[in-house]
Amino acid sequence: MSIIAEHGNTLLIMACIFGFFMAWGVGANDVANAMGTSVGSKALTVKQAIIIAMIFEFAGAYLAGGEVTSTIRKGILDPALITNSPELLVFGMMASLLAAGTWLLVASMKGWPVSTTHSIVGALVGFAAVGIGVNSVNWGQVGTIVASWVVSPVLAGTIAYGLFMSVQKLILNTDQPFQNAKKYIPMYMFFVGFMISMVTLVKGLKHIGIEVDFNLGSQFANALPVAAVAGIIVASIGKLLLSRIHEDPIPRSGNRFANVERVFAILMIFTACAMAFAHGSNDVANAVGPLAAIASVIGSGGEIASKSALPGWILLLGGGGIVIGLVTYGFKVMATIGKKITELTPSRGFAAELAAATTVVFASATGLPVSTTHTLVGAVLGVGLARGIGALNLRVISTIFMSWVITLPAGAALSILFFFLFKGIFA
């Protein structure tokens, strides 16, 4: 308790810096992954993707980021074991933020698309198991999170496969693909608007002071009509934009889908917004979850509460850090991720992006911190498999999988190192 009383302000300032650093890493690495499909399919330029991500990443983090944050903050560690030593929790959370941020900096410089969720969870488990005790880790919760790393790419890949097959059946493999594209794409746009609205209504508005009573029994009864209206508005805007696209003569290359891909490029603007919102809502927890725990302990004078409020300024700091990370360094990963796994066109990129966004939003709404990188790679794999195994670059996929394996122990090792460093300095 005396350490918290004596060094509380210093520790909180350091924690904010490390939290911002971690959020910067999320923006530089993970957001770039999330927007890479839009850039890789040439539906958006790097500049356009950054502008969309700036707006919707921040909105997702601020409006819908709190639910996953509570899982990161309270679900992995058992606070009862360190009630008499709250400074250990503060040192550990600081070490986890610095460790995960450092690893993300290294990975971003190398161009590796790693998982920020892997990084922070590995860091938390590392410091807790070594610095406090193996029993302090909620291994059941960790097991659930690890399972999500398998479930999320499989689920996203399945959704992406189904979406692209529906695109082929309804649009690409028809006699009039351009006309059918303009006919059916507003339906996909409705789904984008509906999905974002649902997670915002059910999980997000309380973070900006608007309390909407969506209890489990009345949740869908209240939220569905509002989300449906939002979906209709988005579809209407999309239909207006599509009406301005006219069919050009088929180019000499003989690509009868050239006009269709132009229509899908419009759709990808909407799916890019959905992906950015989904990513912000889920992955802001990686940066601000540990920071929220530190602020709670220091603010209460050393008391470790089983449940604490999430201050709005913490979500603002996390959302701002993500945006700055994307703007300053995200272009490096973003420019390549969309081209490495399989060749993407706007129609393929749409299926991958919407499937990944749907999976992440679902996970965010249920409090499960899935890896956006895993989800997106799974979705792109699903689209590639719809065209056959030969459409996939298996060498690149194996390299990506290897970077995922390295991330967990790297985060844990760095966290243990920083934990004992902080403990030696302040204790």
Side-chain angles (χ1 to χ4, degrees):
M1 293 290 185
S2 60
I3 294 175
I4 300 296
E6 185 179 352
H7 301 291
N9 290 334
T10 302
L11 292 171
L12 184 58
I13 291 170
M14 291 176 65
C16 289
I17 293 171
F18 296 156
F20 186 85
F21 177 49
M22 172 62 184
W24 181 92
V26 173
N29 194 288
D30 231 17
V31 178
N33 291 335
M35 301 303 291
T37 46
S38 300
V39 176
S41 65
K42 298 183 175 62
L44 296 173
T45 65
V46 172
K47 185 176 180 180
Q48 290 169 335
I50 287 176
I51 291 172
I52 286 175
M54 284 173 62
I55 297 169
F56 286 91
E57 282 279 344
F58 188 84
Y62 191 58
L63 291 176
E67 190 69 20
V68 177
T69 301
S70 65
T71 304
I72 287 287
R73 188 172 73 243
K74 299 191 294 288
I76 295 173
L77 309 179
D78 183 2
L81 297 177
I82 49 174
T83 303
N84 297 324
S85 304
E87 69 276 3
L88 293 182
L89 179 65
V90 173
F91 296 154
M93 291 296 182
M94 288 171 57
S96 297
L97 286 171
L98 184 57
T102 301
W103 173 246
L104 287 175
L105 174 62
V106 172
S108 298
M109 291 174 66
K110 294 286 187 180
W112 297 337
V114 299
S115 165
T116 56
T117 310
H118 262 117
S119 304
I120 194 67
V121 171
L124 288 170
V125 171
F127 105 78
V130 176
I132 301 172
V134 175
N135 293 334
S136 66
V137 179
N138 184 347
W139 295 107
Q141 180 67 28
V142 172
T144 302
I145 293 171
V146 170
S148 78
W149 296 334
V150 178
V151 172
S152 57
V154 172
L155 180 60
T158 303
I159 295 173
Y161 182 89
L163 278 171
F164 189 62
M165 293 302 287
S166 74
V167 168
Q168 285 187 322
K169 185 173 182 178
L170 296 174
I171 299 170
L172 298 179
N173 296 340
T174 62
D175 294 333
Q176 296 180 313
F178 180 76
Q179 288 77 7
N180 286 329
K182 296 183 75 171
K183 177 181 178 182
Y184 289 111
I185 280 179
M187 293 167 50
Y188 295 117
M189 291 178 173
F190 169 84
F191 180 63
V192 172
F194 177 83
M195 177 185 61
I196 291 181
S197 301
M198 278 296 289
V199 73
T200 305
L201 287 168
V202 175
K203 296 297 179 185
L205 295 178
K206 60 185 176 183
H207 299 304
I208 55 173
I210 302 175
E211 193 69 46
V212 184
D213 184 21
F214 288 145
N215 295 319
L216 188 61
S218 60
Q219 185 179 36
F220 292 103
N222 290 328
L224 278 173
V226 181
V229 170
I232 291 171
I233 292 172
V234 170
S236 300
I237 295 172
K239 195 163 187 176
L240 180 65
L241 293 173
L242 292 175
S243 66
R244 300 179 181 179
I245 298 180
H246 302 289
E247 188 171 13
D248 291 334
I250 296 178
R252 291 181 180 179
S253 62
N255 183 5
R256 62 191 290 259
F257 300 125
N259 289 306
V260 176
E261 296 296 351
R262 288 171 54 231
V263 179
F264 271 102
I266 296 291
L267 177 57
M268 280 209 74
I269 297 174
F270 291 84
T271 54
C273 296
M275 189 63 214
F277 185 94
H279 180 269
S281 71
N282 189 75
D283 279 31
V284 69
N286 296 332
V288 305
L291 178 57
I294 294 169
S296 174
V297 172
I298 293 175
S300 63
E303 181 183 349
I304 300 177
S306 60
K307 188 174 184 179
S308 57
L310 180 67
W313 67 266
I314 290 183
L315 280 173
L316 283 172
L317 183 145
I322 285 175
V323 167
I324 292 174
L326 172 68
V327 172
T328 55
Y329 211 74
F331 64 91
K332 189 170 184 179
V333 179
M334 190 192 303
T336 57
I337 191 65
K339 303 174 184 177
K340 287 182 177 180
I341 299 172
T342 188
E343 183 185 355
L344 290 177
T345 61
S347 59
R348 298 168 197 159
F350 142 75
E353 220 163 53
L354 184 54
T358 303
T359 305
V360 173
V361 166
F362 173 78
S364 181
T366 55
L368 193 65
V370 299
S371 165
T372 309
T373 306
H374 289 197
T375 306
L376 186 72
V377 169
V380 174
L381 284 173
V383 171
L385 284 172
R387 299 166 53 225
I389 192 71
L392 298 174
N393 188 331
L394 298 179
R395 187 174 181 179
V396 169
I397 293 169
S398 64
T399 302
I400 292 174
F401 285 166
M402 186 60 64
S403 73
W404 292 356
V405 173
I406 296 171
T407 297
L408 268 172
L414 287 170
S415 179
I416 293 167
L417 176 67
F418 291 136
F419 173 75
F420 286 108
L421 177 65
F422 293 140
K423 190 177 177 181
I425 292 173
F426 291 100

